[in-house]
Amino acid sequence: MHDYQYDFLRFAIDNQVLKFGEFTLKSGRRSPYFFNAGLFNTGGLLARLGRFYAEAAVTAGVEFDLLFGPAYKGIPLAAATAIALADRHGRDVPWCFNRKETKDHGEGGNLVGAPLQGRVLIVDDVITAGTAVRESFDIIAAAGATPAGILISLDRQERGRGERSAIQEIEAEYGVPVIGIVALEQLIDYLRDQPELQQHLPAVEAYRAEYGV
Ligand code: OMP
């Protein structure tokens, strides 16, 4: 595990973005943990979050020309990542986002920000079964741009529609990498290392045995 991954897990757990308990997921699965990126809800938290995203993108070495934040949750994440890339990595990368509703006045269109072109890195929160992220590929294809990868906070490493993980399916289908700041694997290692969190390990491991890959 990289230092930034360890720091990110501590950051997410301390701020109760990553919680343990019983949660129903979008897929209907009952999970013993949940990651709610909406709780990075102050300027300071968002600034720190952006630095983790930027660090993960740079460490992965993926080449991209533009960041795309899918509405709604990807929008502040792409903005925070763009700021951190400029402030911390000397890279002033264009970014844009979509709106969910079509605008019929003013500048029109569903895209806001830099033109959606070149190699596009999608910035989002979590991938479980991979339903949400597929829409972004359609938007990128419709604009004639090329997907470069997906950057997310947490890869839950769960089976998607078949036996492979949702992320393996996406990687195979679209031919791009999915970069998680952390994955379930690192979360489990982290829980093993923290005496006060070890109580959550059995449920998380049982969940991985049932739905994991
Ligand atoms: P999929 O569309 O199944 O990949 O689920 C991704 C979405 O699930 C995210 O964009 C969230 O809305 C939600 N989610 C979380 O935010 N955190 C989690 O830990 C799990 C989920 C989820 O419902 O699977």
Side-chain angles (χ1 to χ4, degrees):
M1 168 152 41
H2 294 290
D3 285 351
Y4 74 86
Q5 294 180 309
Y6 189 92
D7 294 346
F8 178 70
L9 284 165
R10 192 170 50 202
F11 172 58
I13 291 169
D14 285 355
N15 289 290
Q16 299 190 31
V17 166
L18 184 52
K19 275 196 190 144
F20 302 95
E22 265 201 52
F23 306 92
T24 303
L25 305 185
K26 198 167 130 184
S27 58
R29 293 174 188 170
R30 302 277 289 162
S31 168
Y33 72 99
F34 193 82
F35 187 92
N36 182 356
L39 294 177
F40 288 119
N41 56 13
T42 72
L45 293 175
L46 190 59
R48 287 181 65 193
L49 179 62
R51 284 176 218 143
F52 286 114
Y53 270 93
E55 180 101 38
V58 169
T59 304
V62 57
E63 294 191 5
F64 57 94
D65 307 305
L66 174 107
L67 299 174
F68 174 69
Y72 298 100
K73 285 197 280 181
I75 299 173
L77 301 176
T81 307
I83 293 168
L85 284 170
D87 277 354
R88 302 269 163 150
H89 300 275
R91 290 197 54 188
D92 190 14
V93 181
W95 77 283
C96 73
F97 62 91
N98 66 310
R99 23 170 150 255
K100 289 205 176 182
E101 317 74 23
T102 309
K103 202 176 170 198
D104 57 5
H105 61 280
E107 74 276 24
N110 276 11
L111 293 169
V112 184
L116 181 49
Q117 61 192 26
R119 296 164 298 182
V120 182
L121 184 62
I122 300 164
V123 187
D124 213 339
D125 57 351
V126 176
I127 292 182
T128 303
T131 358
V133 81
R134 286 170 195 277
E135 283 172 27
S136 296
F137 285 101
D138 295 341
I139 294 168
I140 292 167
T146 314
I150 309 174
L151 182 62
I152 53 173
S153 290
L154 173 66
D155 171 1
R156 295 182 50 104
Q157 296 183 302
E158 291 184 32
R159 282 199 305 277
R161 296 182 286 200
E163 277 308 299
R164 290 186 297 182
S165 80
I167 285 184
Q168 288 165 335
E169 283 172 4
I170 290 166
E171 288 181 335
E173 192 173 336
Y174 298 100
V176 297
V178 177
I179 304 149
I181 302 174
V182 291
L184 175 60
E185 212 177 327
Q186 279 97 38
L187 171 59
I188 288 177
D189 287 347
Y190 185 84
L191 293 180
R192 285 201 184 108
D193 272 3
Q194 312 292 318
E196 77 284 5
L197 294 174
Q198 278 170 7
Q199 50 176 312
H200 303 303
L201 250 183
V204 175
E205 285 183 321
Y207 184 82
R208 178 165 69 170
E210 187 164 2
Y211 298 112
V213 280

